Amino acid sequence: MSLRLKTILGVALIEAILLAILLTLTLNYLETTNYQGLNQRASSTTQLFASTVKNAVLSFDLATVDSFTQELLHNSDIMYVAVLGDNGRVLSSAGNLPESFNTAILEMNAQSVTDGLYDVRATISESGIEFGSVWIGFDLTGLLSQIKDAKNWSMLIVLGEMLLVALFSYLLGSYLTQRLSELKNAADTIASGERDVHISTHGKDELASVAAAFSNMIQALRDSENKTATYQKRLEEANQTLESKVARRTADLVRSNDQLREINHQLKQTQEKLVESEKMASIGTMAAGVAHEINNPIGAVKSNLKMCQEYLGTYQKWTDIAERVIHQSEPLETLTHWKKRHYADDLYDDFSDSLADANDCVQRVINIVSALQQYSSYSQQTRQHFQSIEIFTVIDEALNTLSPPTSLKISIAANVYQLPPVMGRYEELVMLFKEVLKNALQACERGNPDVAHRIDVEGENKGDSCTITVKDSGPGLPRDQAHRVYDPFFTTLPVGQGMGLGLTYVYDIVRHHQGEIQLTSSTHGTTAAITLLCQTDDAAENHAS
């Protein structure tokens, strides 16, 4: 749609709306004033005529009533007049009477008239007693015709006004679009690459200002293109110089990249060596622990077996001497003296103790091998069927299996008993807290003997999880060894006093329960914070399936 057509339609629409509002208000006012005047005149005329004929009706003077009726009919807009008695009998009438006089033919007001005849009734009464009624019919055809003519003339005026407005809008749109078309053609010419464009800037209106601004823009565009051409030439010259610089810089970057690649390769080798070193250190620690754990009982077994061999030799000599004494080839004093010098009386007890000690050491070796097999099997097995478990019952059972000394104070906070149930396996959680509490007991035993040591157990509910902290007052972990506490067979105890699998089991159990464990150590003791998932409907369904 063109701007000219938009201007014409826009102005015409505004004018039509305004004229429609004005016409509506005028016609409504005309109808309202005319109908109100007619309603008032009809009511006044009927009441006045009823008052005029009241005495004649009361005295039954029909000649007077008929005279008044004929005289009232002389009004041009009155179609009929009728006077009725109290029994509905017509006393006097004139004009075109209706077929019957009943309330159905009466209209509430002039606006409700549909047949062109406005029927009005008034009662003739005295002292509250009705003696008859007056009926008058007013002709509304003239009034309705005048109102219709007024509407028609109003519509003609509106149409004429709209035609005049459309003509004015057309002239205005033509003037505006002529200047805009000139600007559009100039813009198309510039878009095609031509810069030699001239636009008329005469006039003092806004379009003239736009044309002047457009001319200034064309001149600025010419200047900008000239500058751009100059800059382009300079850039081409500089580009030739830059190409040689870029080639040199590229060669430098290639050499630097090769050097970085070599450094990265060396870093990867160094990292692999460090990882391998850490791995070998863990394997060395494990090998040293296992070797000492096995060598100690094996050495004791070897020593005890050697003693048993010596005891058997002593027993053999005692038997030989005893046989010679029996056969009287040696005196009895020789046997007695030899028995006393070789402690023959203690021979049975020592022999029995050596065998018992050797048996214990063999059992210890069996236990070490069994622990190795159990850890290997435990770390690889899959565990399911979690259930709802109360934390405080697990901690109580773990403490009962440890039997801590009475001199060590163990405090369990009340918030531990208020923790919600967690999802897990009962025997694994008992093992978890048993190992954590055992480490705390061992740390307190290695602490300052002049200090009253204690272990504090606290709990915290975090909504979907809960955290249990076990804090001891021991000497703490060495800073350079804290990162290895979960390694298999790593222990801070003297060789032979611990297997180093406790915290390894703890880490595996916590990981299997989708929890977390964090150790914080200082010279004042070590704190183990264990976070486990609380029981929820979703968690129960997932672990039960």
Side-chain angles (χ1 to χ4, degrees), residues 294 364-374 499:
I294 294 180
R364 185 176 174 187
V365 172
I366 294 173
N367 291 339
I368 293 173
V369 175
S370 176
L372 291 173
Q373 293 176 340
Q374 181 180 0
M499 288 289 292

Side-chain angles (χ1 to χ4, degrees), residues 226-487:
N226 293 332
K227 291 181 181 180
T228 302
T230 303
Y231 292 151
Q232 180 69 23
K233 184 177 180 181
R234 293 178 182 177
L235 285 174
E236 290 177 355
E237 295 174 354
N239 187 38
Q240 295 177 356
T241 304
L242 286 174
E243 287 180 355
S244 59
K245 293 182 179 180
V246 169
R248 293 195 299 269
R249 294 294 178 87
T250 302
D252 294 338
L253 288 175
V254 170
R255 288 193 297 270
S256 300
N257 190 33
D258 293 338
Q259 294 175 358
L260 289 175
R261 189 180 294 109
E262 180 63 25
I263 293 173
N264 187 35
H265 179 67
Q266 294 176 359
L267 287 175
K268 287 184 177 179
Q269 289 181 341
T270 303
Q271 183 182 10
E272 291 175 356
K273 291 179 181 179
L274 288 174
V275 172
E276 187 66 22
S277 177
E278 287 288 335
K279 189 184 299 181
M280 294 305 295
S282 297
I283 295 174
T285 302
M286 180 185 72
V290 174
H292 281 82
E293 287 292 336
I294 294 180
N295 285 339
N296 286 340
I298 290 297
V301 170
K302 183 177 180 181
S303 176
N304 287 328
L305 292 177
K306 184 177 180 181
M307 290 295 296
C308 289
Q309 289 176 347
E310 293 177 359
Y311 290 154
L312 286 175
T314 302
Y315 183 76
Q316 182 66 39
K317 290 180 181 179
W318 182 20
T319 304
D320 293 341
I321 296 173
E323 288 180 351
R324 290 196 296 271
V325 170
I326 292 174
H327 293 90
Q328 296 182 356
S329 60
E330 291 285 347
L332 181 60
E333 291 79 4
T334 301
L335 178 61
T336 304
H337 179 69
W338 187 92
K339 178 180 179 182
K340 182 177 181 181
R341 184 162 55 89
H342 289 85
Y343 305 101
D345 291 337
D346 299 326
L347 184 63
Y348 178 80
D349 294 335
D350 291 342
F351 189 71
S352 178
D353 291 341
S354 297
L355 290 177
D357 191 16
N359 185 62
D360 292 340
C361 290
V362 171
Q363 185 61 42
R364 185 176 174 187
V365 172
I366 294 173
N367 291 339
I368 293 173
V369 175
S370 176
L372 291 173
Q373 293 176 340
Q374 181 180 0
Y375 174 72
S376 176
S377 174
Y378 178 84
S379 62
Q380 297 178 5
Q381 67 178 349
T382 57
R383 303 178 288 270
Q384 298 179 353
H385 306 299
F386 282 6
Q387 59 182 351
S388 176
I389 298 174
E390 300 288 349
I391 288 294
F392 65 88
T393 60
V394 172
I395 295 176
D396 285 342
E397 182 167 343
L399 286 173
N400 292 333
T401 58
L402 292 174
S403 300
T406 57
S407 59
L408 179 64
K409 183 177 180 181
I410 300 178
S411 174
I412 301 178
N415 51 21
V416 175
Y417 296 93
Q418 298 172 358
L419 292 177
V422 300
M423 295 301 297
R425 296 185 66 192
Y426 184 81
E427 63 276 6
E428 289 187 356
L429 293 180
V430 172
M431 182 179 181
L432 184 153
F433 285 100
K434 175 184 175 182
E435 294 296 337
V436 173
L437 291 170
K438 183 172 72 174
N439 279 357
L441 290 173
Q442 292 173 347
C444 292
E445 291 175 355
R446 299 197 308 271
N448 189 351
D450 298 330
V451 177
H453 292 283
R454 61 180 293 149
I455 298 175
D456 296 318
V457 182
E458 296 183 354
E460 181 182 1
N461 185 1
K462 297 182 178 180
D464 58 349
S465 65
C466 58
T467 300
I468 303 94
T469 57
V470 179
K471 183 177 181 181
D472 62 63
S473 58
L477 295 170
R479 182 173 298 178
D480 59 340
Q481 298 179 352
H483 66 286
R484 301 179 58 191
V485 292
Y486 303 119
D487 291 349

Side-chain angles (χ1 to χ4, degrees), residues 46-61 64-69 72 81-84 91-92 122-124 133-134:
T46 307
Q47 294 292 337
L48 180 62
F49 183 69
S51 300
T52 302
V53 299
K54 179 175 67 173
N55 293 332
V57 171
L58 293 178
S59 61
F60 208 70
D61 185 0
T64 303
V65 173
D66 188 62
S67 175
F68 287 150
T69 301
L72 183 60
V81 180
V83 179
L84 277 67
L91 301 179
S92 175
T123 59
I124 302 173
S133 60
V134 174

Side-chain angles (χ1 to χ4, degrees), residues 2 19 73 87 99 148 162 229 231 271 411 443 450 498 524:
S2 64
L19 288 176
L73 191 62
N87 54 1
E99 295 181 358
K148 183 177 179 181
M162 291 185 65
Y231 292 151
Q271 183 182 10
S411 174
D450 298 330
H524 302 291

Side-chain angles (χ1 to χ4, degrees), residues 93-120:
S93 63
N96 297 322
L97 299 177
E99 295 181 358
S100 62
F101 294 95
N102 54 61
T103 56
I105 67 172
L106 296 176
E107 288 88 4
M108 296 181 61
N109 49 45
Q111 288 90 334
S112 59
V113 175
T114 58
D115 56 356
L117 185 63
Y118 183 21
D119 300 287
V120 184

Side-chain angles (χ1 to χ4, degrees), residues 97-160:
L97 299 177
E99 295 181 358
S100 62
F101 294 95
N102 54 61
T103 56
I105 67 172
L106 296 176
E107 288 88 4
M108 296 181 61
N109 49 45
Q111 288 90 334
S112 59
V113 175
T114 58
D115 56 356
L117 185 63
Y118 183 21
D119 300 287
V120 184
R121 174 183 180 274
T123 59
I124 302 173
S125 61
E126 180 67 25
S127 300
I129 300 173
E130 183 177 346
F131 292 95
S133 60
V134 174
W135 293 69
I136 301 176
F138 293 89
D139 184 14
L140 296 186
T141 55
L143 177 61
L144 295 176
S145 176
Q146 292 177 357
I147 293 175
K148 183 177 179 181
D149 292 340
K151 289 182 179 180
N152 293 333
W153 279 107
S154 298
M155 292 298 297
L156 292 175
I157 294 173
V158 169
L159 292 175

